[in-house]
Amino acid sequence: DGGITQSPKYLFRKEGQNVTLSCEQNLNHDAMYWYRQDPGQGLRLIYYSQIVNDFQKGDIAEGYSVSREKKESFPLTVTSAQKNPTAFYLCASSMWGQNHEQYFGPGTRLTVT
Amino acid sequence: SQQGEEDPQALSIQEGENATMNCSYKTSINNLQWYRQNSGRGLVHLILIRSNEREKHSGRLRVTLDTSKKSSSLLITASRAADTASYFCATDGPMDSSYKLIFGSGTRLLVRP
């Protein structure tokens, strides 16, 4: 059963704590992405990775960090430097190159109080 | 940077009616994609139209692309209550070799039974 998984579905943290969101795919995709979605808004790109051991900043990378040690995994750490971390976080993967659709995970809703 | 902008922001129709959503974008594109998101879930790819195509069909979906006007429309025919969701357009541009997608802010569709 191929797909992309994110865990946990809901996450609660106290302000000042770092938190890591998991994203795993078994679609053999080279590219992976992290997006942030705020209520009633579209998706904004945080980080993306075209290949293992390489990643690039998206439009809103400040306060976030990622790693890509394995093709299947692209975890996102929300650090205490992120000023407004409460949001819905979506991970996606795709084949690399033109004209490819992205496959999305179910998302993680992070609440920081 | 926001590339696609959907119109209207929200749409409410009766089951059985057609729903039309529009997307406008600013720069040249390789392709334009439409995605659907049920409340609190990940996005699901609906259809991809390339810059050299003018119209595509998939089941009850019809997408048009007018590159001279930098706009696209998504038509859902004979709508059902299950079509209630948010719909997003996304583009990637020929000037951007990273093949990133830029998402619009979405149209929220409510289909009343």
Side-chain angles (χ1 to χ4, degrees):
Chain A
D1 190 20
I4 180 164
T5 58
Q6 292 184 242
S7 62
K9 188 169 176 64
Y10 299 97
L11 193 52
F12 298 88
R13 279 295 182 269
K14 294 288 187 187
E15 199 172 309
Q17 294 179 333
N18 292 355
V19 59
T20 297
L21 282 60
S22 166
C23 177
E24 305 275 334
Q25 54 98 1
N26 61 4
L27 300 167
N28 199 32
H29 285 162
D30 288 313
M32 296 188 74
Y33 312 82
W34 274 106
Y35 295 93
R36 170 185 173 132
Q37 186 178 34
D38 292 287
Q41 302 295 313
L43 278 63
R44 291 185 289 169
L45 183 64
I46 304 172
Y47 269 98
Y48 64 100
S49 169
Q50 303 173 22
I51 198 168
V52 175
N53 293 323
D54 184 56
F55 48 83
Q56 308 295 329
K57 292 181 179 180
D59 298 322
I60 55 165
E62 186 175 347
Y64 300 98
S65 66
V66 293
S67 62
R68 187 86 187 276
E69 297 175 1
K70 298 188 299 182
K71 188 175 185 177
E72 304 79 23
S73 178
F74 191 40
L76 173 75
T77 297
V78 184
T79 74
S80 56
Q82 168 50 234
K83 300 219 182 318
N84 186 17
T86 294
F88 188 50
Y89 291 88
L90 287 159
C91 179
S93 70
S94 74
M95 294 174 64
W96 188 248
Q98 288 187 22
N99 302 320
H100 293 302
E101 65 185 269
Q102 292 187 9
Y103 292 76
F104 282 80
T108 292
R109 187 166 301 280
L110 173 65
T111 302
V112 176
T113 57
Chain B
S1 56
Q2 204 77 13
Q3 166 78 308
E5 290 294 334
E6 287 91 339
D7 168 59
Q9 290 187 333
L11 181 60
S12 179
I13 59 173
Q14 203 72 33
E15 201 165 27
E17 294 180 339
N18 295 343
T20 299
M21 287 158 266
N22 303 295
C23 170
S24 60
Y25 56 92
K26 296 187 176 72
T27 61
S28 298
I29 60 171
N30 282 322
N31 67 71
L32 186 144
Q33 304 183 33
W34 285 91
Y35 288 80
R36 164 194 167 131
Q37 183 182 34
N38 288 84
S39 181
R41 311 287 287 273
L43 276 69
V44 174
H45 182 262
L46 295 176
I47 200 163
L48 181 152
I49 186 164
R50 299 176 191 224
S51 60
N52 61 353
E53 297 175 312
R54 291 297 166 257
E55 188 170 312
K56 267 187 111 166
H57 296 257
S58 176
R60 293 184 296 112
L61 305 181
R62 174 179 158 237
V63 169
T64 61
L65 179 64
D66 186 336
T67 52
S68 67
K69 294 181 180 178
K70 292 187 170 59
S71 68
S72 173
S73 67
L74 170 67
L75 169 67
I76 304 174
T77 60
S79 64
R80 307 165 181 167
D83 293 328
T84 294
S86 292
Y87 293 82
F88 296 90
C89 67
T91 57
D92 77 349
M95 303 306 293
D96 185 352
S97 61
S98 67
Y99 308 117
K100 300 189 306 257
L101 288 181
I102 300 175
F103 286 82
S105 52
T107 291
R108 293 186 302 280
L109 174 65
L110 172 64
V111 181
R112 305 186 304 275

